[in-house]
């Protein structure tokens, strides 16, 4: 029986996070390989991988509210912005012209999740009344409203066009800038940030998986599939929609705090409508409603432009840039990928991965 | 008081132009169940076509206006045939996101062509009267705004006639009522979808011209002006043609009142509403209306079965 990977004796076995030994093996291998990669790398690719990991956290947030609970949210960028500014105010270096308290990351990182979460809970009585496209349009309103506040609340955000600097990565009194030396191994700031992000990524990944496999997740799925039927079966719509928004905003806040602390600063117009759409595109390209999908989507989305650039440089195309420049090609590819994935592969990269996996699972009897 | 009336009239004129974009949203949504986020891009594209033919190709302005509007309509038709026809029956939200993808594609090419300098559309509205405006008594009118108001009025009348008298208007109403039943009655639903997008493109292009003509130049950010019609559609109800018009007028008047009275109000209450508050004010109205009537002022309430 041990060789039958899909054979379970109980529901409990089936609902484990890694429910067979092949998955456990690959998970451990993946974690070790990632840590190794993040230690030895030290160039633009490390920067991009860190960005992709941080983006993944935000994409998971959107996936919880839109992919799991089926509540359309075009306001994810706004929540990310709220989290970012919470982190910047609480952690920002004292002495700058904007409001800052200079506290430790152990304080600002959780706070940057909690404040957007409270905001998400605050609007949830309204959002849970709306559904479908009206909800999406309402959230567009939120984007513009929050953006307006960001642009004008100069004491916090530095104002439109100026922005403000980020806090430093100082965890429990240890500044990441100093780096660590263990024997021959020198870990500098970027490695440390990458490893720290990886830790947060794994924690939030387990969080998403646990939501998906427990009561809350099943309630979300039932709301997504048919909210009236879910209500008839005893799912408290107001409570679970609120929960979905709360968790989603928490992830968004953490993502924003890490992302813009990493990039060094932020300008209010960053959190515009297009930024929210970017996250929707990531979730759709990755595969909405799945745990791994947003991970694939984020890595694809962050790494793709650089890969395209490398290809263009390698073949020496567009050197004179007669028609479109690189940024425009990126946007073009972004738009094309949204359309192509929605038409031809609605389950996104996860769908491709799922089919590949099943092909090799049944090999040599695949069909 | 005369100041208030002046501001109010400007608001109505602005709302009339918004109603062109809003009608495009509503007609496409009613006929095909698609919320088209590509509408702002189509408006900018229309202005771009007109600008190209009038200034670069050297065609007579009025002729290039017509060519530009028709070409934008055809672009709408093309989008429907190539992209959205594949998505019939998919969830509404996926389709809405796909139109965002289309919007990004169109604007990438358009921005490349527009460049960094603002472009004049080659119309002669700037040369009329005093800075493109004229006065009657105390009141000051802009030629372009009045033209927009007039065009919006005519277009709404024509659309009304189209829906009441023509076969295809009736077919479109039937399709919006129930696609499958319409199909069973022998209506070519595919053609109706294409027609809806064609009309949506035409309306967007006309609005795009009024937004960017005269002293308002065409820039890479012009599409934002058309995006502001979105709250109008929500206020009026996504599937209601009168709603789109009323919603647009509300939005236009709100925006213009908020723009002119922001500083007196700030002074009086000693608060700071922030720069550009007038563009956010419509969204605040939208919030309140969604709270009271989630389906919009004129929208049909959805009957849901388990």
């Amino acid at each position: 029986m041990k060789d039958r990977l899909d054979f379970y004796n109980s529901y409990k076995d089936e609902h484990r996070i890694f429910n067979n030994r092949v998955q456990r093996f690959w998970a451990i291998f993946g974690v070790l390989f990632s840590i190794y990669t993040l230690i030895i790398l030290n160039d633009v690719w490390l920067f991009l991988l860190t960005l992709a990991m941080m983006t993944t956290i935000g994409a998971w947030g959107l996936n919880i509210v839109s992919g799991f609970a089926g509540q359309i949210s075009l306001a994810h960028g706004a929540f990310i912005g709220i989290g970012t500014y919470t982190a910047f105010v609480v952690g920002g270096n004292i002495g700058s012209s904007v409001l800052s308290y200079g506290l430790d990351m152990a304080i600002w990182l959780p706070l940057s999740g909690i404040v957007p979460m409270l905001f998400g809970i605050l609007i949830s009585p309204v959002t849970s009344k709306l559904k479908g496209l009206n909800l999406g349009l309402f959230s567009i309103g939120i984007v513009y409203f929050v953006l307006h506040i960001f642009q004008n609340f100069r004491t916090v955000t530095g104002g439109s066009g100026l922005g403000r600097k980020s806090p430093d990565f100082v965890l429990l009194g240890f500044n990441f800038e100093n780096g660590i030396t263990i024997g021959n191994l020198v870990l500098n700031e970027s490695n440390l940030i990458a490893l720290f992000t990886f830790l947060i990524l794994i924690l939030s990944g387990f969080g998403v998986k646990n939501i998906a496999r427990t009561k809350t997740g099943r309630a979300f799925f039932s709301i997504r599939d048919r909210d009236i039927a879910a209500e008839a079966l005893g799912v408290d719509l107001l409570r679970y929609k609120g929960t979905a928004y709360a968790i989603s905003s928490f992830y968004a806040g953490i993502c924003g705090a890490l992302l813009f602390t990493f990039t060094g600063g932020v300008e209010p117009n960053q959190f515009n409508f297009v930024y929210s759409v970017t996250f929707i595109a990531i979730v759709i390209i990755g595969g909405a409603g799945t745990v791994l999908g947003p991970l694939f989507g984020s890595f694809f989305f962050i790494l793709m432009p650089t890969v395209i650039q490398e290809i263009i440089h390698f073949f020496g195309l567009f050197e004179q840039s007669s028609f479109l420049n690189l940024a425009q090609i990126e946007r073009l590819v972004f738009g094309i990928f949204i359309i192509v994935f929605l038409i031809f592969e609605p389950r996104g990269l996860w769908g491709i991965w799922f089919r590949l996996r099943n092909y090799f699972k049944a090999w040599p009897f695949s069909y | 008081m005369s100041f208030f009336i002046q501001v109010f009239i400007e608001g109505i004129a602005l709302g009339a132009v918004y109603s062109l974009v809003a009608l495009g949203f509503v007609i496409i949504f009613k006929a095909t169940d698609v919320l088209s986020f590509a509408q702002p891009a189509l408006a900018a594209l229309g202005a771009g076509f007109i600008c190209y033919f009038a200034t670069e190709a050297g065609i007579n302005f009025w002729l290039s206006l017509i060519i530009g509007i028709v070409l934008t309509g055809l672009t709408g038709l093309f989008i429907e045939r190539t992209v959205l026809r594949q998505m019939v029956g998919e969830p509404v939200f996926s389709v809405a996101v796909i139109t965002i993808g289309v919007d990004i594609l169109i604007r990438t090419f358009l921005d490349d062509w527009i460049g960094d300098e603002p472009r004049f559309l080659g119309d002669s509205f700037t040369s009329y009267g005093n800075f493109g405006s004229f006065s009657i008594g105390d009141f000051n009118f802009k030629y372009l705004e009045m033209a927009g108001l007039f065009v919006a009025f005519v277009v709404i009348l024509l659309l009304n006639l189209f829906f009441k008298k023509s076969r295809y208007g009736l077919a479109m109403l039937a399709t919006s009522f129930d696609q499958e039943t319409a199909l069973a009655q022998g209506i070519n639903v595919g053609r109706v979808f294409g027609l809806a997008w064609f009309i949506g493109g035409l309306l967007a292009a006309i609005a795009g011209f009024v937004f960017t003509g005269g002293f308002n130049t065409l820039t890479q950010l012009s599409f934002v002006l058309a995006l502001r019609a979105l709250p109008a559609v929500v206020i009026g109800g996504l599937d209601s043609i009168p709603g789109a018009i009323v919603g647009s007028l509300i939005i236009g008047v709100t925006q213009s009142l908020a723009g002119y009275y922001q500083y007196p109000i700030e002074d009086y209450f000693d608060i700071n509403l922030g720069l550009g508050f007038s563009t956010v004010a419509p969204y605040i109205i939208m919030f309140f209306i969604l709270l009271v009537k989630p389906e919009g002022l004129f929208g049909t309430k959805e009957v849901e079965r388990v």
Side-chain angles (χ1 to χ4, degrees), chain A residues 40-97:
Chain A
I40 59 157
L41 274 182
N42 198 0
D43 55 4
V44 65
W45 291 103
L46 181 67
F47 177 80
L48 289 174
L49 285 177
T50 316
L51 273 188
M53 288 193 289
M54 290 166 173
T55 312
T56 306
I57 300 172
W60 267 332
L62 182 62
N63 192 34
I64 288 168
V65 76
S66 293
F68 287 0
Q71 304 299 300
I72 299 167
S73 170
L74 288 157
H76 205 60
F79 288 112
I80 290 177
I82 295 171
T84 309
Y85 284 120
T86 312
F88 279 27
V89 167
V90 179
N93 297 323
I94 298 173
S96 52
S97 56

Side-chain angles (χ1 to χ4, degrees), chain A residues 230-248:
Chain A
E231 197 175 16
L233 290 171
V235 175
D236 186 349
L237 284 192
L238 191 68
R239 187 178 138 208
Y240 279 105
K241 284 180 179 177
T243 315
Y245 264 98
I247 300 172
S248 150

Side-chain angles (χ1 to χ4, degrees), chain B residues 192-263:
Chain B
V192 168
F193 282 11
L195 189 66
W197 272 88
F198 182 70
I199 295 176
L202 293 184
L203 293 173
I206 299 172
F209 165 68
V210 182
F211 279 132
T212 57
F215 281 109
N216 323 321
T217 46
L218 175 67
T219 64
Q220 294 193 358
L221 288 175
S222 292
F223 78 98
V224 177
L225 297 168
L227 195 61
R228 288 193 191 133
L230 208 55
V233 186
V234 184
I235 288 173
L238 273 173
D239 56 352
S240 159
I241 288 175
I245 298 165
V246 174
S248 309
L249 294 179
I250 293 177
I251 293 299
V253 171
T254 311
Q255 200 181 323
S256 137
L257 286 180
Y260 281 100
Y261 284 100
Q262 184 184 349
Y263 292 109

Side-chain angles (χ1 to χ4, degrees), chain B residues 72-94:
Chain B
T72 315
L74 291 177
T75 312
L77 189 66
F78 178 75
I79 294 170
E80 200 275 332
R81 277 294 136 98
T82 50
V83 178
L84 289 154
R85 188 57 65 85
Q86 324 287 329
M87 297 292 289
V88 172
E90 300 280 330
V92 252
F93 182 61
S94 308

Side-chain angles (χ1 to χ4, degrees), chain A residues 161-222:
Chain A
L162 292 166
R164 63 176 288 171
K165 272 183 75 176
S166 67
D168 297 329
F169 279 105
V170 182
L171 184 63
L172 300 172
F174 172 72
N175 195 335
F176 281 22
E177 265 177 34
N178 301 334
I180 299 181
T181 314
I182 312 166
N184 287 336
L185 190 66
V186 180
L187 293 177
N188 56 25
E189 191 191 7
S190 41
N191 294 111
L192 283 179
I193 294 175
L195 288 172
F196 179 72
T197 313
F198 186 61
L199 179 72
I200 304 272
L201 180 81
I202 289 185
L203 288 178
S204 30
F206 278 126
V208 177
K209 181 70 188 175
N210 278 335
I211 290 166
R213 73 197 184 101
T214 51
K215 185 186 163 191
T216 319
R218 288 193 292 273
F220 287 171
F221 294 144
S222 67

Side-chain angles (χ1 to χ4, degrees), chain A residues 213-322:
Chain A
R213 73 197 184 101
T214 51
K215 185 186 163 191
T216 319
R218 288 193 292 273
F220 287 171
F221 294 144
S222 67
I223 292 172
R224 174 190 63 191
D225 293 340
R226 198 84 180 96
D227 55 349
I228 297 175
E231 197 175 16
L233 290 171
V235 175
D236 186 349
L237 284 192
L238 191 68
R239 187 178 138 208
Y240 279 105
K241 284 180 179 177
T243 315
Y245 264 98
I247 300 172
S248 150
S249 319
F250 185 86
Y251 274 79
I254 298 281
C255 161
L258 287 175
L259 200 59
F260 293 105
T261 308
F262 183 54
T263 53
V266 71
E267 196 260 313
N269 289 317
Q270 173 75 35
F271 304 109
N272 55 14
F273 180 53
V274 178
Y275 194 62
S276 300
V277 171
T278 310
F279 275 91
I280 288 174
I282 288 174
V283 170
I284 283 171
I285 290 174
T290 61
V291 177
L292 284 178
L295 184 83
F296 296 153
S298 306
F299 275 76
F300 181 78
F301 179 76
I302 299 284
L303 299 180
M304 178 195 67
T306 315
V307 171
I308 291 175
Q309 274 184 22
E310 294 279 317
I311 293 170
I312 287 172
H313 277 300
F314 186 77
F315 290 106
L317 298 167
F318 299 104
E319 286 296 345
Q320 276 77 40
S321 182
S322 54

